[in-house]
Amino acid sequence: MSQYNNVSVVKQANVYFEGKVTSRAVIFEDGTKVTLGIMLPGEYEFGTSQKEIMDIQSGELSVLLPGKSDWLEITEPQAFEVPANASFKLKVRTVTDYICSYLD
Amino acid sequence: MSQYNNVSVVKQANVYFEGKVTSRAVIFEDGTKVTLGIMLPGEYEFGTSQKEIMDIQSGELSVLLPGKSDWLEITEPQAFEVPANASFKLKVRTVTDYICSYLD
């Protein structure tokens, strides 16, 4: 069972798109943060302030990264990176469990 | 910002009802566990194996506890207890953020 140890977890969820996307913040001892999130099927656009790594733990979705014209098709666990101050689009086909890491 | 400190968090989400109910397990140093969950609007029935305390952090819902004929109406943060080996019904009207504790 893969887990994070010796972390803090914020009790209150982050809720987007009327709850179709939700996440929980996990904070490490060094102050860095990840969010553990769920996306239900739907189409979404997100903006970044920091560089992000989205690690898809499970789910099937298509991702349009900034500056790209081709959608990235994800059908098995896979990570992708999004630059800071950018936006990206997602077409989520099945319930998607993800980990988002924020990099400076 | 209310948070749990010095805990472990399981990376993989628990997914129920096609993702309309999801939760993440948080494990304390003494081995006890809570789950932090989200319920989207809908009607659900859950069974318990252990006694549970459901602490509604936000959301509006009605709860039918085992052996009761009247629904409990929840419109502000409130907790309720469910005995072990029982089932209870929920009518969730708005996105609901909850903490479930498991007692022996």
Side-chain angles (χ1 to χ4, degrees):
Chain A
M1 186 165 64
S2 183
Q3 60 186 45
Y4 294 118
N5 295 318
N6 302 314
V7 294
S8 296
V9 181
V10 178
K11 292 181 182 179
Q12 189 177 9
N14 307 304
V15 177
Y16 311 98
F17 299 103
E18 299 178 317
K20 292 180 76 178
V21 179
T22 58
S23 71
R24 305 269 176 189
V26 174
I27 302 158
F28 299 92
E29 283 178 297
D30 67 1
T32 58
K33 189 180 88 165
V34 300
T35 53
L36 298 177
I38 291 284
M39 296 187 286
L40 298 193
E43 300 195 9
Y44 311 107
E45 181 162 4
F46 289 100
T48 62
S49 51
Q50 290 174 278
K51 180 170 155 183
E52 296 182 4
I53 294 174
M54 284 282 282
D55 182 0
I56 306 299
Q57 300 193 85
S58 63
E60 295 189 10
L61 65 162
S62 306
V63 183
L64 186 63
L65 290 168
K68 301 287 186 183
S69 53
D70 290 335
W71 291 76
L72 172 66
E73 300 299 331
I74 295 181
T75 56
E76 57 186 32
Q78 179 179 342
F80 60 89
E81 195 177 295
V82 187
N85 304 311
S87 71
F88 63 109
K89 292 181 181 176
L90 300 164
K91 292 179 185 170
V92 175
R93 289 188 297 279
T94 67
V95 178
T96 293
D97 189 359
Y98 70 88
I99 300 172
C100 185
S101 305
Y102 302 87
L103 309 176
D104 285 323
Chain B
M1 187 166 63
S2 182
Q3 60 186 45
Y4 294 117
N5 295 317
N6 303 312
V7 294
S8 296
V9 182
V10 178
K11 292 181 181 177
Q12 189 177 8
N14 307 305
V15 176
Y16 310 98
F17 299 103
E18 299 177 319
K20 293 180 75 178
V21 179
T22 57
S23 72
R24 306 270 177 188
V26 174
I27 301 158
F28 298 92
E29 283 178 296
D30 66 1
T32 58
K33 189 180 88 165
V34 299
T35 54
L36 298 176
I38 290 284
M39 296 187 287
L40 297 193
E43 300 194 9
Y44 311 107
E45 182 163 5
F46 288 100
T48 63
S49 51
Q50 290 174 277
K51 181 168 153 183
E52 295 182 2
I53 294 173
M54 283 282 282
D55 182 0
I56 306 300
Q57 301 193 86
S58 63
E60 296 189 10
L61 66 161
S62 305
V63 182
L64 187 63
L65 290 168
K68 301 286 186 184
S69 53
D70 290 337
W71 290 76
L72 171 67
E73 300 299 330
I74 296 181
T75 57
E76 56 187 34
Q78 179 179 343
F80 59 89
E81 195 176 295
V82 187
N85 304 310
S87 72
F88 63 109
K89 292 180 181 177
L90 300 163
K91 291 179 185 170
V92 175
R93 289 187 297 278
T94 66
V95 178
T96 293
D97 189 359
Y98 71 88
I99 301 173
C100 185
S101 305
Y102 302 87
L103 309 177
D104 286 325

